[in-house]
Amino acid sequence: MLVDSHCHLDRLKLEPYDGQLQGAIDAAHERGIGQMLCISISLDNVETVIDIAHQYPTVLASAGVHPCDVSAGTATREQLTEWAGRDKVVAIGETGLDYYHETDSMQAQKESFALHLEVAGAVGLPVVVHTRDARQDTLDLIKAHGNPEHAGVLHCFTESWEMAKAAMDLNYYISLSGIVTFKNAKELQEVARQMPLDRLLVETDSPYLAPVPYRGKPNEPKNVREVAEFVADIKGISYQELADITTENFYRLFNRAQAYRPQ
């Protein structure tokens, strides 16, 4: 089995499946993807994401506000805590810092990220972290407000090996998306080559960032297999070994997901 550790099922392009999300989920299952973590990004879509997880047995949910969405409204401590108690919610986030797309909301991003980290530590859930052009601030806030016993993952990782090492020292995992398959992603491929297997996850971030050979097309969870196959080749191991290892890593990090693991 393989797990897509980060996707946005409420945003998928469903025309190939007559508008039915079940079709995209079935297509993933047919390629060996046994479970998907659907990620919240805004106050407007948290309930939608949780509802999707409740409707589909192999879908899990996160709850949080993306750094690029904080200007439209940030979650309160009470909201995050309430969402964290919902059935099938296994993570807090997506949260973090994005200084590439959003430079006017940097202070609001920091405050939101710190709050997500604090709530995650209090409720015992891992954090799904987005970071872009904010390496030091991301690490500093994790150190100041995070709980290393309930750490998290730097998702869709595109940063340096030095940042990956620093995050792993804080008990974080690193998740690779379809970007690692791109021809110009040599630095990221080197990060993948050096990554210890017990800290590695794979994801689609669908409907974005489709891997080669689907680059430029709408992405979906079934394509996490291409990511896993590519990373397995870099690591010099079989696809099945990579799938087994990243799946166990997923359930070790997202401990609450064990209760919903497909048999």
Side-chain angles (χ1 to χ4, degrees), residues 12-26:
L12 293 190
K13 310 298 183 184
L14 296 173
E15 290 82 1
Y17 306 107
D18 297 322
Q20 301 300 309
L21 179 56
Q22 186 66 60
I25 292 172
D26 289 344

Side-chain angles (χ1 to χ4, degrees), residues 47-57 59-61 86-89 260:
E47 295 292 346
T48 298
V49 166
I50 294 174
D51 285 346
I52 289 171
H54 289 169
Q55 290 177 49
Y56 300 95
V59 177
L60 303 165
R86 301 279 194 93
D87 185 43
K88 297 194 81 175
V89 172
Y260 309 103

Side-chain angles (χ1 to χ4, degrees), residues 17 25 62 65 69 146 158 167 174 176 185-186 194 200 206 213 241:
Y17 306 107
I25 292 172
S62 76
V65 178
D69 285 82
T158 56
I174 304 296
L176 299 176
K186 300 302 182 185
Q194 296 185 68
L200 181 63
S206 51
E241 185 176 358

Side-chain angles (χ1 to χ4, degrees), residues 126-137:
V127 188
V128 178
V129 176
H130 169 105
T131 179
R132 189 165 185 190
D133 286 1
R135 294 179 183 180
Q136 196 57 53
D137 281 356

